[in-house]
Amino acid sequence: MAVTLSATLAANEDIERRRRAGERVLNLAFGEAGLPVHPALRGKLVAASDRNGYGPVAGTAELRAAAAGYWTRRGLETDPGLVVCGPGSKSLLYGLLLAIGGDVVLPMPSWVSYAAQADLIGSSPILVPAPPGEGGVPDPGRVAEAVRDARARGRTVRSVLVTLPDNPTGLLAPRRTIGRLVEVARELDLYIISDEIYRDLLHDPALAYTSPADLAPERTLVTTGLSKSLALGGWRIGVARLPDGADDLRARLLAVASEIWSAPAAPVQEAAAYAFTDPPELADRIARSNRLHGAVARAVRDRFVAIGGSVPAPQGGFYLYPDLGHLGFSGSAEVARTLLDRYGIGVLPGHAFGDDPAAARVRVAVSLLYGETSEQRTAALDSDDPLRLPWIKDSLDHLALGLTELSLSMPDQRPALV
C-alpha cells in the first residue's frame, strides 16, 4: 500500500523550506490554531510533569469525568464510562474506523485525513457531496442512494462521517440536514461518526448547533479535542464519546488503542481534565479566539470576493473555501501552484480534500496570520481591532496584492461580443 505524507503537513513543510531559502510566503495552508498556550494550562502541565506511568488505556478517570461533564453541559448527557481518550482526535478517528470496520461515507470535500485513514485500514471511502451551500455533512438523499448501490455490489458500508463545523469550508450544517441524515442512518443501520473538534469555535455564539448525537445518541460517536479551541495541537489529546450500549465497540476501540498508543501522555491528560471543566479563564480565552478567527477570516474572504471569487461566508473555525473558477483555471492544482510560485501565497488544492480536481477551489486557513511570536499572537488575541495590527495588516495587503495581480494576469473571461 502506497502511503504518502498528509497534504497539509507536506504543504507546510514545503512552505517552511521556501522561507528558509529566503522566499516570502504567506502560509494559508496549515490548519494550526496559531495562538499561545494559556498560562493556566502550562501550569497544570508542569505540575503533573512527574506523572510518568502509562495509566489506563481509556484514559484517567479524572479526564473521562471531565469530558463527560463537557458534553453534558452542552446538552448531551454522558456517562464517563462512554468516554475513551487518545493522543488527539485524529488517532481516535482512525481507531474508530478500525473498530467499526467496513466502508465509510464521507462528505465531499472533507478533511484530507479521513479518506487517507480509510485507505490505510483497507476501507473504500464513498464520497458524497454536501447539499448546495452547505459543508461537512453529505447530502442525506445521496447517502442513501450511494449506500444501497454499494451494498448491492457486495460492499459492506457501516458508517458515515461528518464534521461540525466543517474543514475545509468553514460552514456548519443546519439541523434539517442533520435530521435527514439521522433518518437515513437509522434506516440503513449506519454509525454516525461526528468530528466536533471545531464545535467551540463558532464565530456567532448564538448560531444554533445540532450534533447527530442530540438526535440519535444510540448510533453516534463524537470526537473532539483541544488542538483547535485552545491551540494545543502539539500536546496531542482527544476524547471520544461512544453510544450507550456499545460495549463491543468500546472493547474493540480499546484493543486498537492498546496496540497503537497504549495511553495518552499522563501530564497532558491532567491539563486536559482541567480544560474540559470549562473554567472561566479558558472560556474567556475561547471567546476571544472566536472573535479573532472570525474577524480575520472575514477579512481574508473580502480579499477573495474583491477579485470575483465565490466564497461562502465562514461560520466556524478558521477556514475558507474560495472558488476561482471565473478566472479560467484548469483545476485546483493549478490555482494552488500559481498562487505559491508566482505570488508567495500558500493554500491547499481542493482535490486534496476529495473535491473534483477540475474545480478551481482551494482551502485557505487564516490562523497563521496572527503573528510570528507569542507576543504578537497575544496582542492579536487581546486587540479590539486585530486587522489594524501592523503584521496582520501587512499579511492582508500581501494577499490582496497577490490576488489582484493574479486576476489581472488571467485571460479575460468575459463572453465574446457577437
Side-chain angles (χ1 to χ4, degrees), residues 2 60 77 101 122 137 150 163 182 203 221 238 253 275 282 307 332 357 365 379 383 397:
T60 64
E77 192 72 30
V137 175
T163 317
V182 162
H203 299 164
L221 305 87
L253 177 59
L282 296 189
I307 65 162
S332 61
S383 175
D397 289 346

Side-chain angles (χ1 to χ4, degrees), residues 41-341:
L41 285 168
R42 292 203 305 270
K44 293 290 184 181
L45 187 69
V46 170
S49 61
D50 63 341
R51 297 185 58 179
N52 61 345
Y54 284 113
V57 176
T60 64
E62 294 80 8
L63 176 51
R64 288 186 287 112
Y70 166 88
W71 276 304
T72 298
R73 285 189 297 278
R74 285 154 181 78
L76 186 61
E77 192 72 30
T78 302
D79 185 282
L82 300 176
V83 177
V84 174
C85 312
S89 61
K90 186 174 185 177
S91 301
L92 287 165
L93 287 164
Y94 181 63
L96 287 170
L97 289 175
L98 273 170
I100 294 170
D103 293 338
V104 58
V105 179
L106 301 176
M108 186 177 76
S110 56
W111 181 44
V112 297
S113 289
Y114 296 148
Q117 288 188 349
D119 287 338
L120 283 172
I121 69 169
S123 170
S124 296
I126 300 170
L127 299 177
V128 175
E134 298 182 17
V137 175
D139 185 290
R142 298 179 70 170
V143 168
E145 180 181 355
V147 171
R148 291 191 183 100
D149 178 69
R151 287 175 174 173
R153 291 183 286 110
R155 293 169 63 179
T156 302
V157 186
R158 291 187 175 145
S159 61
V160 55
L161 196 156
V162 303
T163 317
L164 301 166
D166 183 37
N167 172 12
T169 66
L171 300 177
L172 178 66
R175 185 180 183 89
R176 64 178 181 276
T177 300
I178 301 296
R180 288 170 53 218
L181 183 69
V182 162
E183 292 173 1
V184 170
R186 283 182 171 139
E187 178 185 354
L188 299 178
D189 192 21
L190 298 171
Y191 279 116
I192 302 174
I193 305 171
S194 188
D195 181 353
E196 301 184 8
I197 192 74
Y198 299 98
R199 172 170 186 159
D200 292 336
L201 292 182
L202 296 181
H203 299 164
D204 178 2
L207 186 64
Y209 187 99
T210 302
S211 168
D214 294 326
L215 307 180
E218 80 284 356
R219 64 179 58 253
T220 302
L221 305 87
V222 181
T223 62
T224 192
L226 303 175
S227 60
K228 310 302 180 182
S229 62
L230 287 168
L232 298 181
W235 288 22
R236 308 311 305 143
I237 191 71
V239 290
R241 181 196 186 277
L242 306 185
D244 286 320
D247 295 340
D248 289 346
L249 178 60
R250 182 179 186 276
R252 292 196 298 273
L253 177 59
L254 292 179
V256 168
S258 72
E259 300 296 353
I260 297 179
W261 62 77
S262 298
V268 177
Q269 289 191 73
E270 183 82 6
Y274 160 73
F276 277 118
T277 63
D278 294 321
E281 60 270 30
L282 296 189
D284 174 69
R285 163 60 68 88
I286 293 171
R288 289 188 292 128
S289 300
N290 268 328
R291 289 195 294 270
L292 176 61
H293 296 320
V296 178
R298 289 189 293 272
V300 170
R301 177 179 183 261
D302 289 344
R303 273 63 179 176
F304 279 93
V305 171
I307 65 162
S310 175
V311 193
Q315 296 172 294
F318 28 80
Y319 302 114
L320 301 166
Y321 201 60
D323 188 335
L324 300 181
H326 70 293
L327 295 178
F329 284 104
S330 63
S332 61
E334 185 186 8
V335 179
R337 185 172 59 250
T338 301
L339 283 172
L340 181 58
D341 291 344

